[in-house]
Each structure stands twice: as C-alpha cells, then as structure tokens.
C-alpha cells in the first residue's frame, strides 16, 4: 500500500526531524532578537505558511500576536510566479508602531515578498523582518534581505509542510521534491 503522494515524490529533501530541529533554532534566535520587543506581530502568509507558523510560534518565547494575509500572483503558469501580485485577504489590524515578522513558506523569484514588504512599509510599522522556511537563491529576480532562513534549497519544485502540489499535500510533515514528469492533473 503506497501513500497517494508517493507517485509524485522524487526524493525527500528535508525530513520531519530536520525541519523541526531547524524551526526550534529559528524560534530561539527570534526569541533572543525580540527579547525587548513589546509589540511583536507574526504575519503568516497563507496558505503555505500555516504549518511553519504553528510550529515556529511554539518556540518563540516572547509575547506576540499573530495575523494572516493571503496573497496570490497571477499571469503566468501555476508554478511560475509573475510580477503581478494581488492581496486576497488583508490583515485586520493597524500595524503602525509594531514589530512585524513576516512568516513565509518559500522565497522564489522574490516578487511576492517584495510586494508584501512595500505594502507593509506604507503602514508605518516600527520594524519589518522576514522569516522564510525555504529559500531558492538561484531563482531570485529581485533583491531582498532575508532575516531568517530555514534552508537554502536548489531550483526544484518542492511540496509538503505547507507547500502544495496543485493545492494538495500541504499536510505532509516533510519537504519533498516533485518528480519533474509528474503533475497532479494527470491523476
Ligand atoms: P515568488 O513570488 O516567486 O518568490 O514565489 C513565492 C510563492 O510561490 C511561494 O509563496 C509559493 O506559494 C510559490 N512557490 C514557489 N516555489 C514553490 C515550490 O517549489 N513549491 C510550491 N510552491 C512554490
Ligand atoms: Mg506562498
């Protein structure tokens, strides 16, 4: 009996244990860096950031609030983000004067994050930093400073742990590389 994801999986890139160990380290680093902050707000980017947020915040030992934003990019194929980014769901609070930490699943071209950053900066927060679980440096099209990075990964399409393969498999506890010849529409 094989699990449904197995036919799409080329290899496991980051195991559950490796993810959890690194997320603990990130949480401890964030705890140190924000020890004096009284206004920390974690902003999770939906949908890919949900598992990461849920695990990361358990290791952040300073008082903080959470909020959510949903962003989509459109114009190109599903696996290529374009420069056109749109807000599907905005925050429902004023972020002026707050220390914002954006929690994202992956930075690829950087277009999505550049859009989020420029939008949030217009709202006069005290600070804005980025925490991404995954980073694909080879794919970057715009220059962005990443404050916290879980793992730099090669230019391969990955899924699991929040990241989807055509909207499914976000629940997998590990990060897998998708077989290049496979697509969930071919089921
Ligand atoms: P960017 O705007 O090109 O940086 O794209 C970022 C978004 O593209 C991420 O938030 C993901 O939703 C999606 N993405 C990029 N690479 C992958 C991948 O390998 N697997 C799943 N989603 C990805
Ligand atoms: Mg995303």
């Amino acid at each position: 009996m094989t699990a449904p994801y197995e036919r799409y999986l080329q290899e496991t890139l980051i195991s559950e244990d490796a993810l959890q160990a690194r997320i603990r380290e990130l949480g401890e680093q964030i705890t140190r860096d924000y020890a004096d902050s009284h206004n920390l707000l974690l902003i999770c980017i939906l949908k890919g950031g949900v598992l990461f947020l849920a695990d990361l915040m358990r290791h952040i030992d300073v008082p903080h609030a959470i909020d959510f934003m949903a962003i989509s990019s459109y114009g190109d194929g599903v696996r290529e983000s374009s420069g056109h980014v749109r807000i599907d769901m905005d925050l429902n609070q004023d972020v002026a004067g707050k220390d914002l930490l954006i929690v994202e699943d992956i930075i690829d071209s950087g277009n999505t994050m550049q859009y989020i950053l420029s939008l949030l900066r217009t709202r006069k927060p005290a600070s804005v930093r980025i925490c991404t679980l995954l980073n694909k440096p080879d794919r970057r099209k715009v220059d962005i400073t990443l404050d916290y990075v879980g793992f730099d990964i090669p230019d391969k399409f990955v899924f699991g742990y929040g990241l989807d393969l055509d909207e499914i498999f976000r629940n997998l506890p590990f990060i897998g590389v998708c077989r290049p010849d496979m697509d969930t529409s071919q089921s």
Side-chain angles (χ1 to χ4, degrees):
M1 185 67 189
T2 57
Y5 68 81
E6 286 181 39
R7 58 190 294 231
Y8 304 102
L9 184 70
Q10 184 171 52
E11 56 171 329
T12 299
L13 187 66
I14 309 170
S15 70
E16 179 174 4
D17 285 352
L19 281 172
Q20 294 300 330
R22 181 68 185 126
I23 291 167
R24 174 183 290 273
E25 286 177 359
L26 289 172
E28 289 168 356
Q29 194 184 343
I30 290 164
T31 299
R32 288 192 295 275
D33 293 352
Y34 287 90
D36 299 325
S37 171
H38 299 290
N39 255 317
L40 175 58
L41 175 64
L42 306 186
I43 298 177
C44 175
I45 308 303
L46 297 174
K47 305 168 194 167
V50 281
L51 272 69
F52 183 35
L53 173 83
D55 286 334
L56 180 69
M57 65 189 289
R58 285 181 254 213
H59 299 294
I60 299 180
D61 199 14
V62 290
H64 60 273
I66 62 171
D67 206 341
F68 299 87
M69 235 176 152
I71 309 286
S72 58
S73 56
Y74 56 95
D76 295 337
V78 267
R79 296 191 185 172
E80 280 291 318
S81 106
S82 66
H84 306 281
V85 182
R86 161 188 87 198
I87 302 189
D88 292 329
M89 190 190 87
D90 205 343
L91 301 171
N92 54 22
Q93 61 184 287
D94 184 5
V95 298
K98 295 179 183 170
D99 292 316
L100 309 184
L101 182 58
I102 305 169
V103 178
E104 174 64 301
D105 53 356
I106 186 166
I107 313 279
D108 189 27
S109 69
N111 287 326
T112 307
M113 188 52 68
Q114 189 181 51
Y115 176 86
I116 295 168
L117 271 181
S118 54
L119 178 75
L120 291 177
R121 284 188 177 130
T122 65
R123 300 179 180 179
K124 308 275 181 262
S127 66
V128 186
R129 286 186 188 164
I130 299 168
C131 178
T132 186
L133 180 65
L134 306 176
N135 179 36
K136 284 184 186 167
D138 298 344
R139 300 255 307 169
R140 195 74 83 256
K141 291 185 191 145
V142 294
D143 188 29
I144 305 178
T145 301
L146 303 178
D147 303 281
Y148 306 95
V149 176
F151 300 88
D152 282 334
I153 64 167
D155 178 12
K156 291 181 176 169
F157 195 83
V158 296
F159 67 101
Y161 199 74
L163 293 104
D164 67 304
L165 191 56
D166 302 334
E167 286 300 326
I168 59 173
F169 302 137
R170 294 187 195 272
N171 58 313
L172 300 177
F174 58 88
I175 300 281
V177 176
C178 184
R179 282 176 51 182
D181 56 326
M182 285 305 263
D183 189 290
T184 49
S185 61
Q186 297 170 277
S187 56

